[in-house]
Structure formats: C-alpha cells, structure tokens
Amino acid sequence: MNIVLLGAPGAGKGTQAARLVQEFGAAHISTGDMLRAAVAAGTPLGQKAKSYMDAGELVPDDVIIGLVKERLQEPDAKNFILDGFPRTTAQAVALDAELNNIERPLEAALLIDVDFEVIVKRLTSRRLCRSCGYIGSVADEVCPTCGGEMYQRDDDNEETVRTRLDVYEKSTAPLVDYYRGCELLVTIDGDRDPDVVYADVKKALNL
Ligand code: ADP
Ligand code: ZN
C-alpha cells in the first residue's frame, strides 16, 4: 500500500490513516506529527518549524521534502500512507521523483472532501489525548480510551484554522487536479461517520 491522503486540515486524514495502519500495517507518515514531535523535542527543525505552524502557514518546501525523503528510506516505510504531504505542487513533484527513484510508485491519492464550515466547527471543538493521541472533542474531559489528559492543539483556534483553510485552498487544493491528471485521484465524502468513510476508503483501495 503506497498512498497519499489529500484533504483540508480536519478532513479526517489522520483518523482514516490510523485505521488503515491498524488493519493493514503500513507506515503512517504524517508530516504534521513529525513536526510536532520535533517542536516538542526542541530540535533545530522544531525551532525552525514552530512559528510557521503556530501561524497556520506552511513550513518551507525544502525542509519538508528533506524530512519525508529521509523517512521514506527507513526500512518500515516499504508500505506507506502519506498524511499531510504533499501540500504544494513542488512537494508533489519532489515526491514523484523520489518514488520513481526508489521504484515505489503511488497507487492512489484519496481526497477526503469536507465543507470548510464543517471543518471550522470540527477543529475548534477538537481535543486530543496527550498520552495516546486519541482524537476527541470538548465533550471529553479525559481520554475515553486511556484516561489521559485532553488538550487543544495550538493551531486549532478559529483564527488559525481559517488561515490554514486559506493556505489549503491556495497551495494544496491544486494537487487535486495534479493527481486527477495522473489518474490516481479518488474522492470520498468525508462529512459522514468515520466508520462509513472508512468503508469507502477501503472500497476505493480494493481492500
Ligand atoms: P492539519 O492538516 O490539521 O492542518 P497537520 O498536523 O498536517 O495539520 O500540520 C500542522 C502544521 O504543520 C501545518 O499547518 C504546517 O505548518 C505544518 N506542515 C505539516 N505538513 C506540512 C507540509 N507537507 N508542508 C508544509 N508544512 C507542513
Ligand atoms: Zn488516551
């Protein structure tokens, strides 16, 4: 399984990726998670990325492309689900070149499609578990799966969410046509129960 998940922030890419990983065991390569880990660890990459992330802007292409190329070299990345990458045409072109290089062509680009106003509501009420990464909502005082502490991501406030959606529209949405052009695009309606979306994702991948 070598796939790319496309869709606006909050469309549910991470949720669907986690399910695919659990059932089929590919590497979940989330550039957002990698960057947040770098920020938390205080590495030079994290220090560089933090201001962009807090503002809802994209981290520069060269930084992200280097990060993903390295990750794809790791032995567990033979099968991968890319989540949050590529986000610009330059990243998509670099990815194509790298996958060509390592002879692992993409099988599909799944677009999880959700209306922007639905996304604003979802993200501003989203809360995450500090211990296990569970994605819940303001209604969850503690994590329903592990009892851990729930927190709100720094970039899940309304102003930053709107910036992220603008950035998506301008920089990332053009990738939909890019992947349609290579006949890899499959669009899935993401404004439904995650189980129903997941059933469609599997159907789209012939799983
Ligand atoms: P979301 O998809 O919910 O916006 P992510 O966790 O994928 O969140 O990303 C959070 C932030 O990390 C982005 O707003 C951006 O600053 C940075 N980021 C993640 N992936 C990329 C990427 N491929 N290119 C540039 N910046 C990225
Ligand atoms: Zn938890």
Side-chain angles (χ1 to χ4, degrees):
M1 181 190 308
N2 296 329
I3 63 171
V4 162
L5 295 179
L6 287 177
K13 303 184 296 292
T15 302
Q16 298 301 322
R19 288 174 186 229
L20 285 169
V21 167
Q22 198 185 20
E23 192 170 344
F24 303 101
H28 179 192
I29 304 182
S30 159
T31 44
D33 287 350
M34 291 164 81
L35 292 171
R36 276 185 293 279
V39 170
T43 65
L45 167 67
Q47 285 168 16
K48 181 157 189 198
K50 188 172 184 342
S51 56
Y52 294 101
M53 297 172 74
D54 285 346
E57 302 289 346
L58 296 182
V59 172
D61 281 337
D62 55 335
V63 175
I64 287 288
I65 290 168
L67 187 71
V68 172
K69 272 193 186 172
E70 266 177 37
R71 182 69 185 86
L72 285 169
Q73 304 295 337
E74 285 169 30
D76 71 307
K78 292 249 174 320
N79 291 288
F80 59 80
I81 299 169
L82 281 165
D83 164 9
F85 180 95
R87 250 181 166 86
T88 63
T89 304
Q91 292 178 17
V93 170
L95 176 65
D96 276 349
E98 180 62 14
L99 293 180
N100 226 359
N101 200 13
I102 59 179
E103 297 180 356
R104 249 182 278 157
L106 271 188
E107 283 156 18
L110 293 186
L111 169 65
I112 305 181
D113 195 26
V114 180
D115 182 84
F116 281 10
E117 286 315 308
V118 173
I119 283 179
V120 172
K121 283 200 198 93
R122 265 193 201 178
L123 288 185
T124 53
S125 65
R126 177 166 79 170
R127 298 294 182 272
L128 309 161
C129 173
R130 249 187 233 294
S131 316
C132 74
Y134 173 83
I135 303 168
S137 76
V138 273
D140 300 307
E141 279 175 24
V142 296
C143 174
T145 59
C146 80
E149 185 198 345
M150 301 293 286
Y151 75 101
Q152 180 173 35
R153 244 169 68 170
D154 290 342
D155 58 354
D156 277 349
N157 62 80
E158 177 155 356
E159 193 195 342
T160 310
V161 167
R162 297 227 179 250
T163 305
R164 285 157 67 199
L165 290 171
D166 286 346
V167 170
Y168 173 79
E169 181 95 323
K170 188 166 138 281
S171 303
T172 310
L175 294 184
V176 172
D177 281 334
Y178 180 90
Y179 286 112
R180 192 180 282 123
C182 341
E183 299 188 357
L184 290 172
L185 188 77
V186 186
T187 303
I188 289 166
D189 173 6
D191 190 7
R192 296 173 299 162
D193 184 275
D195 293 335
V196 179
V197 176
Y198 187 53
D200 262 13
V201 166
K202 287 203 282 188
K203 220 184 285 165
L205 297 174
N206 299 314
L207 293 169

